[in-house]
Amino acid sequence: MALSGGVDSSVAAARLVAAGHDVVGATLKLWGGESDSGCCSVSDVDDARRVADALGIDHHTFAYAEEFEAAVVGPYVAAHARGATPNPCMACNRHLKFGSLLARADRLGFDAVATGHHARVAVGPDGRRRVARGADAAKDQSYVLHMLDQATLARTLFPIGGLTKDRVRAMAAELGLRTAHKPDSQDVCFITSAEGRAAFLGRRAALTPGVVRDRSGAEVGRVPAVELVTVGQRRGLGLPGGGPKRHVLRVEPAYARVTIGSADDLLVDRQVLGPVSWADRPVHGDLLAQCSAHGRAEPADVEAGPDGAVTLEWRSPRRRVAPGQAVVLYDGDTVLGSATITATRSPAEPRA
């Protein structure tokens, strides 16, 4: 049982114990530096150990700092350097929580790995598995688990996937678990609130002061670091006050340039996707697409081009999403596949 030190994994462990499983708690110590948030702080490890004690199960802490640096932190910095907006939690799930941990569980002879994610494993009539949304729509985490393949899903349990968050907290309180009222983790675990993203990236990469231009090419502002700007952003762009709201349309660190436009300019009719990783088999046509962890899945048409590229055609124009973010494709509540956004185009914008 992956024990993060939060209420969800605590109750998940308790449910497995109550069901009669032979459970061992495992906490991953991933970040070797300072942490005051997320799931890597000293207090989180201590909370996980105390929950294991309360449940009467063994507890181990596994250190994967080097793997975390290579698979999560390094790519996070590199993505910002090229003007993309990464999601480090997805990389952590892929490489550490369902990569390194599952491999270790196999070596130690365990049958399965369980986590406290709000998600479910749906099994079709043919026995094929897919990640499915959790019962609590407001806490659903299927989006950040889109990368789980058939082999992984066959050995993965989500014990609280059928519960609401309120019920999870109530059960933790009934069991007297110290995590019952602990706030949810929200921030990137390797960036402290005192340091912030700018200082963290500045220690690891050269940040480039840049010019802000409108769609005509006229200079309208400046930013201290192009790498810290993301598509859709409208504050911190050095623009004079009092004018219409303007949003970032494109970030180009190689040219030290940020392009801005109106809210209408931010709309796109299609998203260009990187290689699609399908949960089972390729699916094309009308699907639901979700582009953020807490966003809404919207109708779209998936098309494979003659050059092998895949595009997502929205039913109606919507706000463009930053390159580097994931788009997860759904059939109802089940994940069909996923890809990374590589480029966007608005209805009125010529192709590059």
Side-chain angles (χ1 to χ4, degrees):
M1 176 71 222
L3 282 176
S4 67
V7 64
D8 292 325
S9 63
S10 300
V11 172
R15 299 197 83 195
L16 292 174
V17 171
H21 292 288
D22 182 7
V23 183
V24 172
T27 300
L28 304 186
K29 190 69 177 76
L30 303 175
W31 176 235
E34 293 184 5
S35 178
D36 58 6
S37 61
C39 52
C40 290
S41 68
V42 173
S43 63
D44 288 323
V45 176
D46 187 54
D47 284 342
R49 178 181 58 80
R50 295 194 181 194
V51 165
D53 286 344
L55 296 176
I57 63 175
D58 290 339
H59 176 255
H60 300 282
T61 300
F62 298 141
Y64 286 115
E66 291 184 6
E67 292 86 346
F68 186 72
E69 176 72 34
V72 180
V73 181
Y76 175 85
V77 175
H80 279 287
R82 63 176 182 269
T85 303
N87 188 319
C89 293
M90 287 186 179
C92 185
N93 282 336
R94 181 189 302 275
H95 297 290
L96 281 303
K97 294 177 181 176
F98 294 94
S100 297
L101 182 60
L102 190 57
R104 178 167 291 206
D106 286 342
R107 292 196 301 271
L108 295 176
F110 287 90
D111 298 316
V113 165
T115 76
H117 286 100
H118 284 266
R120 297 176 295 112
V121 178
V123 183
D126 58 357
R128 304 289 285 178
R129 293 171 169 80
R130 294 177 181 171
V131 176
R133 294 191 185 280
D136 192 330
K139 296 296 181 180
D140 170 55
Q141 293 175 294
S142 60
Y143 175 85
V144 298
L145 299 172
H146 62 80
M147 73 293 296
L148 303 185
D149 58 19
Q150 292 294 312
T152 300
L153 290 174
R155 296 174 294 161
T156 298
L157 301 175
F158 299 125
I160 64 164
L163 303 177
T164 65
K165 186 63 178 241
D166 287 344
R167 181 57 187 146
V168 169
R169 289 200 180 279
M171 292 177 69
E174 292 165 5
L175 293 167
L177 300 179
R178 62 186 285 113
T179 55
H181 304 292
K182 186 174 180 178
D184 292 340
S185 298
Q186 298 288 343
D187 303 312
V188 177
C189 65
F190 51 85
I191 297 179
T192 65
S193 57
E195 180 182 47
R197 182 171 61 110
F200 178 85
L201 290 173
R203 288 192 291 105
R204 290 171 167 260
L207 299 182
T208 311
V211 62
V212 179
R213 298 186 183 277
D214 62 20
R215 295 187 68 203
S216 72
E219 180 177 336
V220 293
R222 286 188 171 271
V223 292
V226 176
E227 295 83 359
L228 299 178
V229 180
T230 188
V231 168
Q233 180 177 325
R234 68 180 184 88
R235 300 182 185 276
L237 301 174
L239 305 179
K245 293 180 181 179
R246 286 176 285 185
H247 304 260
V248 173
L249 306 179
R250 190 177 300 109
V251 180
E252 300 171 286
Y255 301 101
R257 181 172 63 205
V258 173
T259 303
I260 63 170
S262 68
D264 286 343
D265 293 330
L266 193 63
L267 299 177
V268 294
D269 56 0
R270 64 178 61 198
Q271 309 278 170
V272 181
L273 308 180
V276 178
S277 175
W278 297 104
D280 189 359
R281 58 183 65 89
V283 180
H284 300 287
D286 293 337
L287 304 174
L288 295 173
Q290 184 172 326
C291 296
S292 65
H294 302 293
R296 184 177 62 185
E298 300 181 19
D301 185 68
V302 176
E303 298 178 350
D307 58 353
V310 177
T311 61
L312 193 70
E313 192 86 28
W314 297 107
R315 296 280 182 81
S316 59
R318 56 150 291 162
R319 284 173 62 104
R320 68 180 70 191
V321 180
Q325 290 288 287
V327 55
V328 179
L329 305 173
Y330 288 84
D331 176 13
D333 287 340
T334 60
V335 173
L336 295 177
S338 60
T340 300
I341 293 171
T342 57
T344 56
R345 180 175 67 85
S346 72
E349 187 174 273
R351 294 183 184 273

